[in-house]
Amino acid sequence: MPTTQELQDFSTQVRRDILRMVHAVNSGHPGGSLGCTEFFTALYQEIMEYNTDFDMDGVNEDLFFLSNGHISPVYYSVLARSGFFPVKELATFRLLNTRLQGHPTTHEGLPGIRIASGSLGQGMSVAIGAAEGKKLNKDTAIVYSLHGDGELQEGQCWEAIMYAAGKKIDNLIATVDYNGQQIDGSTNTVMPLGDLKAKFEAFGWDVLEVEKGNDIEAVIAGLKEAKSRAGKGKPVCILLHTIMGNGVDFMMHTHAWHGKAPNDDQLAIGLAQNAETLGDY
């Protein structure tokens, strides 16, 4: 297993990838991607059991579904640097005919991508279906998913959340990127979410909170704790408190960088705050 320093170096390089990918095409979503860097690093470098010789069935493998598909830059970077496809392909992000579309898609056959995502609110249903399929096939692997907090303003999420508990889908670990920001402002301004922990618990889920969602050791500990709670009759939710734009000081704590690309000067500042560790693409 990688050391904490190696995981931190990996995260730093992923942040560089995110900034460079979005800057190159003047398009994309850096804020949420930067905020979830430690989560993706922990998931793919420490927690999940998977095969980089990718097939869509994923039998006897842990599966991951990204519901908030607009944060594709972090997903693509971690997939590439975890061995799913060449790192140099990151340079094709959002270009014509690329496999790395702005929102993940499946028809280009990009390894690691199991669903097209970006239409918010749908990922919970898909992850539950995959988890239920594993149960029916007596496959003991775990299904992981990630959701935006603003995404939970959609009703479909809560229908699925109710279903998962009612059907005891206890091989599912759903994480909420709880940064309090969405495209139009803070979640408290757009549509207050209330007490998410109490809501998930009222719907029958086992819930844990990770207060330091950008601390790699805290994220790993939270994911390991969630994994230990799987298989006990309830789906598991992690409320992961992250900072939008984490690691780039002028992008942090604001919705302004939800879907805005840095200019040349801003890119240089962001890269200077995240020194190269593993080599750029």
Side-chain angles (χ1 to χ4, degrees):
M1 289 292 184
T3 65
T4 299
Q5 186 59 56
E6 288 170 336
L7 291 170
Q8 290 172 341
D9 289 345
F10 187 97
S11 297
T12 297
Q13 190 65 53
V14 170
R15 285 196 292 273
R16 292 180 64 88
D17 290 345
I18 293 165
L19 293 168
R20 295 176 73 240
M21 291 162 68
V22 174
H23 168 266
V25 290
N26 194 33
S27 180
H29 296 78
S33 294
L34 291 166
C36 286
T37 296
E38 286 77 15
F39 170 79
F40 275 90
T41 297
L43 196 66
Y44 277 90
Q45 292 291 298
E46 180 82 17
I47 300 296
M48 282 210 311
E49 298 179 12
Y50 59 84
N51 188 349
T52 54
D53 185 12
F54 181 76
D55 71 79
M56 288 295 284
D57 292 334
V59 176
N60 297 321
E61 296 182 59
D62 292 340
L63 306 182
F64 172 72
F65 295 95
L66 175 65
S67 188
N68 48 332
H70 55 277
I71 66 168
S72 62
V74 63
Y75 194 15
Y76 294 150
S77 172
V78 171
L79 285 175
R81 293 189 179 277
S82 298
F84 283 87
F85 57 88
V87 171
K88 65 181 181 181
E89 192 170 350
L90 296 176
T92 71
F93 176 67
R94 279 184 177 249
L95 298 180
L96 188 64
N97 298 320
T98 181
R99 297 197 297 177
L100 278 63
Q101 295 291 317
H103 289 181
T105 62
T106 54
H107 62 274
E108 286 90 358
L110 185 66
I113 306 299
R114 299 186 184 279
I115 59 164
S117 61
S119 297
L120 295 176
Q122 299 179 2
M124 183 70 76
S125 299
V126 175
I128 290 167
E132 193 160 34
K134 282 191 174 292
K135 278 181 162 291
L136 291 170
N137 291 325
K138 302 189 186 310
D139 182 337
T140 59
I142 293 176
V143 175
Y144 296 87
S145 60
L146 180 65
H147 313 266
D149 49 1
E151 179 180 6
L152 297 181
Q153 294 160 350
E154 301 208 18
Q156 179 179 336
C157 296
W158 295 99
E159 292 180 48
I161 290 164
M162 179 170 57
Y163 179 92
K167 299 299 182 180
K168 295 181 170 46
I169 310 299
D170 59 359
N171 56 336
L172 171 67
I173 297 174
T175 298
V176 177
D177 176 21
Y178 207 179
N179 61 25
Q181 306 290 335
Q182 59 189 105
I183 191 168
D184 289 330
S186 72
T187 53
N188 281 338
T189 299
V190 177
M191 179 65 73
L193 294 165
D195 188 338
L196 278 185
K197 186 173 188 291
K199 286 180 177 178
F200 269 94
E201 288 177 339
F203 273 68
W205 284 56
D206 187 4
V207 185
L208 62 114
E209 294 198 61
V210 177
E211 298 290 345
K212 296 181 179 180
N214 295 115
D215 180 305
I216 192 68
E217 291 183 319
V219 176
I220 289 171
L223 283 164
K224 287 183 176 179
E225 173 63 22
K227 192 172 182 178
S228 75
R229 298 187 188 188
K232 297 181 180 178
K234 292 183 178 183
V236 180
C237 172
I238 301 173
L239 297 179
L240 186 72
H241 293 263
T242 67
I243 298 171
M244 180 169 277
N246 186 64
V248 179
D249 58 8
F250 61 86
M251 292 186 178
M252 294 172 68
H253 302 288
T254 173
H255 71 283
W257 291 94
H258 173 94
K260 176 183 175 182
N263 60 31
D264 292 351
D265 291 340
Q266 291 165 334
L267 173 67
I269 293 169
L271 292 178
Q273 292 175 9
N274 293 276
E276 182 179 337
T277 57
L278 304 179
D280 289 326
Y281 55 83

Short mmCIF file of all heavy atoms in Angstrom, two decimals, residues 21 52 54 72-73 75-77 79-80 83-116:
data_model
loop_
_atom_site.label_atom_id
_atom_site.label_comp_id
_atom_site.label_asym_id
_atom_site.label_seq_id
_atom_site.Cartn_x
_atom_site.Cartn_y
_atom_site.Cartn_z
N MET A 21 -6.05 20.52 -17.48
CA MET A 21 -7.09 20.03 -18.38
C MET A 21 -8.15 21.10 -18.65
O MET A 21 -8.54 21.34 -19.79
CB MET A 21 -7.75 18.77 -17.78
CG MET A 21 -6.86 17.55 -17.75
SD MET A 21 -7.46 16.28 -16.59
CE MET A 21 -8.96 15.76 -17.40
N THR A 52 -7.72 -3.28 -13.52
CA THR A 52 -7.57 -2.27 -14.56
C THR A 52 -7.76 -2.87 -15.96
O THR A 52 -7.86 -2.12 -16.94
CB THR A 52 -6.18 -1.60 -14.50
OG1 THR A 52 -5.17 -2.59 -14.53
CG2 THR A 52 -6.06 -0.77 -13.22
N PHE A 54 -10.25 -3.66 -17.75
CA PHE A 54 -11.63 -3.26 -17.51
C PHE A 54 -12.65 -4.03 -18.35
O PHE A 54 -12.46 -4.25 -19.54
CB PHE A 54 -11.78 -1.76 -17.79
CG PHE A 54 -13.15 -1.22 -17.55
CD1 PHE A 54 -13.59 -0.98 -16.26
CD2 PHE A 54 -13.99 -0.93 -18.61
CE1 PHE A 54 -14.86 -0.47 -16.02
CE2 PHE A 54 -15.26 -0.41 -18.38
CZ PHE A 54 -15.69 -0.19 -17.09
N SER A 72 -15.75 15.48 -13.82
CA SER A 72 -15.00 14.49 -14.58
C SER A 72 -13.48 14.71 -14.57
O SER A 72 -12.74 13.71 -14.65
CB SER A 72 -15.50 14.44 -16.02
OG SER A 72 -15.31 15.69 -16.67
N PRO A 73 -12.95 15.94 -14.50
CA PRO A 73 -11.49 16.06 -14.53
C PRO A 73 -10.78 15.25 -13.44
O PRO A 73 -9.77 14.59 -13.71
CB PRO A 73 -11.26 17.57 -14.35
CG PRO A 73 -12.48 18.20 -14.95
CD PRO A 73 -13.60 17.27 -14.57
N TYR A 75 -11.93 12.62 -11.91
CA TYR A 75 -12.20 11.20 -12.20
C TYR A 75 -11.23 10.69 -13.27
O TYR A 75 -10.58 9.65 -13.10
CB TYR A 75 -13.64 11.07 -12.67
CG TYR A 75 -14.23 9.69 -12.70
CD1 TYR A 75 -13.65 8.61 -12.06
CD2 TYR A 75 -15.44 9.47 -13.39
CE1 TYR A 75 -14.24 7.35 -12.09
CE2 TYR A 75 -16.02 8.22 -13.43
CZ TYR A 75 -15.42 7.17 -12.78
OH TYR A 75 -16.01 5.93 -12.83
N TYR A 76 -11.11 11.44 -14.37
CA TYR A 76 -10.23 11.03 -15.45
C TYR A 76 -8.77 10.97 -14.99
O TYR A 76 -8.03 10.03 -15.33
CB TYR A 76 -10.34 12.00 -16.63
CG TYR A 76 -11.68 12.02 -17.32
CD1 TYR A 76 -12.14 13.18 -17.92
CD2 TYR A 76 -12.49 10.88 -17.40
CE1 TYR A 76 -13.37 13.22 -18.58
CE2 TYR A 76 -13.72 10.90 -18.04
CZ TYR A 76 -14.15 12.08 -18.64
OH TYR A 76 -15.36 12.13 -19.28
N SER A 77 -8.35 11.97 -14.24
CA SER A 77 -6.96 11.99 -13.78
C SER A 77 -6.64 10.78 -12.93
O SER A 77 -5.62 10.11 -13.13
CB SER A 77 -6.70 13.28 -12.99
OG SER A 77 -5.43 13.23 -12.38
N LEU A 79 -8.28 7.89 -12.73
CA LEU A 79 -8.36 6.66 -13.52
C LEU A 79 -7.07 6.46 -14.33
O LEU A 79 -6.50 5.36 -14.35
CB LEU A 79 -9.56 6.70 -14.47
CG LEU A 79 -10.94 6.48 -13.86
CD1 LEU A 79 -12.02 6.66 -14.92
CD2 LEU A 79 -11.07 5.09 -13.22
N ALA A 80 -6.61 7.52 -14.98
CA ALA A 80 -5.40 7.40 -15.79
C ALA A 80 -4.19 7.06 -14.92
O ALA A 80 -3.41 6.15 -15.24
CB ALA A 80 -5.15 8.70 -16.55
N GLY A 83 -3.93 3.52 -13.80
CA GLY A 83 -3.61 2.50 -14.79
C GLY A 83 -4.73 2.09 -15.72
O GLY A 83 -4.56 1.12 -16.48
N PHE A 84 -5.84 2.80 -15.76
CA PHE A 84 -6.94 2.41 -16.63
C PHE A 84 -6.70 2.80 -18.09
O PHE A 84 -7.16 2.12 -19.00
CB PHE A 84 -8.25 3.03 -16.14
CG PHE A 84 -8.85 2.33 -14.96
CD1 PHE A 84 -8.49 2.66 -13.67
CD2 PHE A 84 -9.79 1.31 -15.14
CE1 PHE A 84 -9.04 2.01 -12.58
CE2 PHE A 84 -10.34 0.65 -14.06
CZ PHE A 84 -9.97 1.00 -12.77
N PHE A 85 -6.03 3.91 -18.33
CA PHE A 85 -5.70 4.34 -19.69
C PHE A 85 -4.49 5.26 -19.61
O PHE A 85 -4.13 5.73 -18.52
CB PHE A 85 -6.90 5.02 -20.38
CG PHE A 85 -7.47 6.20 -19.66
CD1 PHE A 85 -6.96 7.48 -19.86
CD2 PHE A 85 -8.54 6.06 -18.78
CE1 PHE A 85 -7.48 8.57 -19.21
CE2 PHE A 85 -9.08 7.14 -18.11
CZ PHE A 85 -8.55 8.41 -18.32
N PRO A 86 -3.82 5.54 -20.74
CA PRO A 86 -2.57 6.32 -20.69
C PRO A 86 -2.77 7.73 -20.15
O PRO A 86 -3.73 8.42 -20.51
CB PRO A 86 -2.13 6.35 -22.15
CG PRO A 86 -2.79 5.17 -22.79
CD PRO A 86 -4.12 5.03 -22.10
N VAL A 87 -1.86 8.16 -19.30
CA VAL A 87 -1.92 9.50 -18.73
C VAL A 87 -1.91 10.57 -19.82
O VAL A 87 -2.59 11.60 -19.70
CB VAL A 87 -0.76 9.71 -17.73
CG1 VAL A 87 -0.67 11.16 -17.29
CG2 VAL A 87 -0.92 8.79 -16.53
N LYS A 88 -1.18 10.32 -20.90
CA LYS A 88 -1.09 11.32 -21.97
C LYS A 88 -2.46 11.62 -22.61
O LYS A 88 -2.65 12.68 -23.21
CB LYS A 88 -0.11 10.87 -23.04
CG LYS A 88 -0.53 9.62 -23.81
CD LYS A 88 0.52 9.22 -24.83
CE LYS A 88 0.10 7.98 -25.62
NZ LYS A 88 1.13 7.57 -26.60
N GLU A 89 -3.41 10.70 -22.45
CA GLU A 89 -4.74 10.92 -23.02
C GLU A 89 -5.49 12.04 -22.30
O GLU A 89 -6.46 12.60 -22.83
CB GLU A 89 -5.56 9.63 -22.99
CG GLU A 89 -6.83 9.69 -23.82
CD GLU A 89 -7.51 8.34 -24.00
OE1 GLU A 89 -6.91 7.30 -23.63
OE2 GLU A 89 -8.65 8.34 -24.51
N LEU A 90 -5.04 12.43 -21.10
CA LEU A 90 -5.66 13.55 -20.40
C LEU A 90 -5.60 14.83 -21.23
O LEU A 90 -6.44 15.72 -21.07
CB LEU A 90 -4.99 13.77 -19.04
CG LEU A 90 -5.11 12.62 -18.02
CD1 LEU A 90 -4.32 12.96 -16.76
CD2 LEU A 90 -6.57 12.33 -17.69
N ALA A 91 -4.62 14.92 -22.12
CA ALA A 91 -4.47 16.11 -22.97
C ALA A 91 -5.60 16.24 -23.99
O ALA A 91 -5.73 17.29 -24.64
CB ALA A 91 -3.12 16.08 -23.69
N THR A 92 -6.45 15.22 -24.12
CA THR A 92 -7.56 15.28 -25.08
C THR A 92 -8.87 15.70 -24.43
O THR A 92 -9.92 15.69 -25.09
CB THR A 92 -7.77 13.91 -25.77
OG1 THR A 92 -8.32 12.97 -24.82
CG2 THR A 92 -6.46 13.36 -26.32
N PHE A 93 -8.84 16.05 -23.16
CA PHE A 93 -10.05 16.40 -22.43
C PHE A 93 -10.91 17.42 -23.19
O PHE A 93 -10.44 18.47 -23.59
CB PHE A 93 -9.65 16.97 -21.06
CG PHE A 93 -10.79 17.47 -20.21
CD1 PHE A 93 -11.72 16.59 -19.69
CD2 PHE A 93 -10.91 18.82 -19.91
CE1 PHE A 93 -12.77 17.05 -18.89
CE2 PHE A 93 -11.94 19.29 -19.11
CZ PHE A 93 -12.88 18.40 -18.61
N ARG A 94 -12.16 17.07 -23.39
CA ARG A 94 -13.18 17.92 -24.01
C ARG A 94 -12.89 18.29 -25.46
O ARG A 94 -13.54 19.18 -26.02
CB ARG A 94 -13.42 19.19 -23.19
CG ARG A 94 -14.35 18.97 -22.00
CD ARG A 94 -14.64 20.27 -21.27
NE ARG A 94 -15.60 20.07 -20.17
CZ ARG A 94 -16.84 20.54 -20.16
NH1 ARG A 94 -17.31 21.22 -21.19
NH2 ARG A 94 -17.63 20.33 -19.13
N LEU A 95 -11.95 17.65 -26.11
CA LEU A 95 -11.71 17.91 -27.52
C LEU A 95 -12.68 17.10 -28.37
O LEU A 95 -13.29 16.14 -27.91
CB LEU A 95 -10.27 17.56 -27.89
CG LEU A 95 -9.17 18.37 -27.18
CD1 LEU A 95 -7.79 17.91 -27.65
CD2 LEU A 95 -9.35 19.87 -27.42
N LEU A 96 -12.81 17.48 -29.64
CA LEU A 96 -13.72 16.80 -30.55
C LEU A 96 -13.33 15.33 -30.71
O LEU A 96 -12.15 15.01 -30.92
CB LEU A 96 -13.69 17.48 -31.92
CG LEU A 96 -14.73 17.00 -32.94
CD1 LEU A 96 -16.14 17.32 -32.46
CD2 LEU A 96 -14.46 17.67 -34.30
N ASN A 97 -14.30 14.44 -30.55
CA ASN A 97 -14.13 12.99 -30.70
C ASN A 97 -13.27 12.34 -29.62
O ASN A 97 -12.87 11.19 -29.74
CB ASN A 97 -13.54 12.64 -32.08
CG ASN A 97 -14.46 13.06 -33.21
OD1 ASN A 97 -15.68 12.91 -33.11
ND2 ASN A 97 -13.89 13.58 -34.29
N THR A 98 -13.00 13.04 -28.53
CA THR A 98 -12.23 12.45 -27.44
C THR A 98 -13.06 11.41 -26.69
O THR A 98 -14.29 11.45 -26.69
CB THR A 98 -11.78 13.54 -26.45
OG1 THR A 98 -11.00 12.94 -25.40
CG2 THR A 98 -12.97 14.23 -25.81
N ARG A 99 -12.35 10.51 -25.99
CA ARG A 99 -13.04 9.61 -25.05
C ARG A 99 -13.30 10.32 -23.72
O ARG A 99 -14.08 9.81 -22.91
CB ARG A 99 -12.19 8.36 -24.80
CG ARG A 99 -11.97 7.51 -26.04
CD ARG A 99 -11.50 6.10 -25.69
NE ARG A 99 -10.21 6.07 -25.02
CZ ARG A 99 -9.63 4.95 -24.58
NH1 ARG A 99 -10.24 3.78 -24.73
NH2 ARG A 99 -8.45 4.99 -23.98
N LEU A 100 -12.65 11.46 -23.51
CA LEU A 100 -12.77 12.19 -22.25
C LEU A 100 -13.73 13.37 -22.43
O LEU A 100 -13.33 14.53 -22.50
CB LEU A 100 -11.40 12.68 -21.78
CG LEU A 100 -10.52 11.67 -21.03
CD1 LEU A 100 -10.16 10.48 -21.91
CD2 LEU A 100 -9.25 12.34 -20.52
N GLN A 101 -15.01 13.04 -22.55
CA GLN A 101 -16.02 14.07 -22.71
C GLN A 101 -16.14 14.91 -21.42
O GLN A 101 -15.70 14.51 -20.35
CB GLN A 101 -17.36 13.43 -23.02
CG GLN A 101 -17.41 12.69 -24.35
CD GLN A 101 -17.35 13.64 -25.54
OE1 GLN A 101 -17.99 14.67 -25.54
NE2 GLN A 101 -16.57 13.28 -26.54
N GLY A 102 -16.79 16.06 -21.55
CA GLY A 102 -16.96 16.92 -20.39
C GLY A 102 -17.68 16.23 -19.25
O GLY A 102 -17.32 16.38 -18.09
N HIS A 103 -18.71 15.48 -19.58
CA HIS A 103 -19.37 14.57 -18.64
C HIS A 103 -19.07 13.15 -19.11
O HIS A 103 -19.13 12.88 -20.31
CB HIS A 103 -20.87 14.80 -18.60
CG HIS A 103 -21.27 16.09 -17.95
ND1 HIS A 103 -22.59 16.46 -17.81
CD2 HIS A 103 -20.54 17.08 -17.40
CE1 HIS A 103 -22.66 17.63 -17.20
NE2 HIS A 103 -21.43 18.02 -16.94
N PRO A 104 -18.76 12.24 -18.20
CA PRO A 104 -18.40 10.88 -18.62
C PRO A 104 -19.50 10.23 -19.45
O PRO A 104 -20.69 10.37 -19.16
CB PRO A 104 -18.20 10.14 -17.29
CG PRO A 104 -17.88 11.22 -16.30
CD PRO A 104 -18.69 12.40 -16.73
N THR A 105 -19.08 9.53 -20.49
CA THR A 105 -20.01 8.76 -21.32
C THR A 105 -19.45 7.37 -21.52
O THR A 105 -18.29 7.10 -21.24
CB THR A 105 -20.23 9.43 -22.69
OG1 THR A 105 -18.97 9.48 -23.40
CG2 THR A 105 -20.77 10.84 -22.54
N THR A 106 -20.29 6.48 -22.02
CA THR A 106 -19.87 5.09 -22.18
C THR A 106 -19.65 4.68 -23.63
O THR A 106 -18.94 3.71 -23.89
CB THR A 106 -20.92 4.14 -21.57
OG1 THR A 106 -22.20 4.42 -22.14
CG2 THR A 106 -21.00 4.33 -20.06
N HIS A 107 -20.23 5.40 -24.60
CA HIS A 107 -20.15 4.89 -25.97
C HIS A 107 -18.76 5.03 -26.58
O HIS A 107 -18.46 4.38 -27.57
CB HIS A 107 -21.20 5.56 -26.86
CG HIS A 107 -21.06 7.04 -27.01
ND1 HIS A 107 -21.60 7.94 -26.11
CD2 HIS A 107 -20.45 7.79 -27.96
CE1 HIS A 107 -21.35 9.17 -26.50
NE2 HIS A 107 -20.64 9.11 -27.61
N GLU A 108 -17.87 5.84 -25.97
CA GLU A 108 -16.49 5.89 -26.45
C GLU A 108 -15.63 4.77 -25.87
O GLU A 108 -14.50 4.58 -26.28
CB GLU A 108 -15.84 7.24 -26.08
CG GLU A 108 -16.31 8.42 -26.91
CD GLU A 108 -17.50 9.11 -26.30
OE1 GLU A 108 -17.98 8.62 -25.26
OE2 GLU A 108 -17.97 10.11 -26.86
N GLY A 109 -16.16 4.04 -24.89
CA GLY A 109 -15.45 2.89 -24.34
C GLY A 109 -14.25 3.26 -23.48
O GLY A 109 -13.23 2.55 -23.49
N LEU A 110 -14.35 4.34 -22.71
CA LEU A 110 -13.23 4.71 -21.85
C LEU A 110 -13.18 3.78 -20.65
O LEU A 110 -14.15 3.68 -19.88
CB LEU A 110 -13.39 6.16 -21.37
CG LEU A 110 -12.23 6.72 -20.55
CD1 LEU A 110 -10.97 6.83 -21.40
CD2 LEU A 110 -12.59 8.08 -19.97
N PRO A 111 -12.07 3.07 -20.43
CA PRO A 111 -11.97 2.15 -19.30
C PRO A 111 -12.20 2.86 -17.97
O PRO A 111 -11.70 3.96 -17.73
CB PRO A 111 -10.53 1.63 -19.40
CG PRO A 111 -10.18 1.76 -20.84
CD PRO A 111 -10.85 3.02 -21.28
N GLY A 112 -12.99 2.21 -17.11
CA GLY A 112 -13.30 2.76 -15.80
C GLY A 112 -14.66 3.40 -15.73
O GLY A 112 -15.21 3.58 -14.63
N ILE A 113 -15.23 3.79 -16.87
CA ILE A 113 -16.51 4.48 -16.90
C ILE A 113 -17.64 3.48 -17.13
O ILE A 113 -17.69 2.82 -18.17
CB ILE A 113 -16.55 5.56 -17.99
CG1 ILE A 113 -15.37 6.53 -17.84
CG2 ILE A 113 -17.88 6.31 -17.96
CD1 ILE A 113 -15.34 7.29 -16.54
N ARG A 114 -18.56 3.39 -16.17
CA ARG A 114 -19.64 2.40 -16.27
C ARG A 114 -20.98 3.01 -16.62
O ARG A 114 -21.88 2.29 -17.07
CB ARG A 114 -19.77 1.63 -14.94
CG ARG A 114 -18.50 0.88 -14.59
CD ARG A 114 -18.67 0.02 -13.35
NE ARG A 114 -17.41 -0.62 -13.02
CZ ARG A 114 -16.93 -1.71 -13.60
NH1 ARG A 114 -17.63 -2.31 -14.54
NH2 ARG A 114 -15.77 -2.22 -13.24
N ILE A 115 -21.14 4.30 -16.39
CA ILE A 115 -22.40 4.96 -16.77
C ILE A 115 -22.10 6.35 -17.31
O ILE A 115 -21.10 6.97 -16.94
CB ILE A 115 -23.39 5.11 -15.59
CG1 ILE A 115 -22.78 5.93 -14.44
CG2 ILE A 115 -23.89 3.77 -15.11
CD1 ILE A 115 -23.79 6.44 -13.44
N ALA A 116 -22.98 6.82 -18.19
CA ALA A 116 -22.96 8.24 -18.56
C ALA A 116 -23.56 9.01 -17.39
O ALA A 116 -24.61 8.63 -16.87
CB ALA A 116 -23.77 8.46 -19.83
#
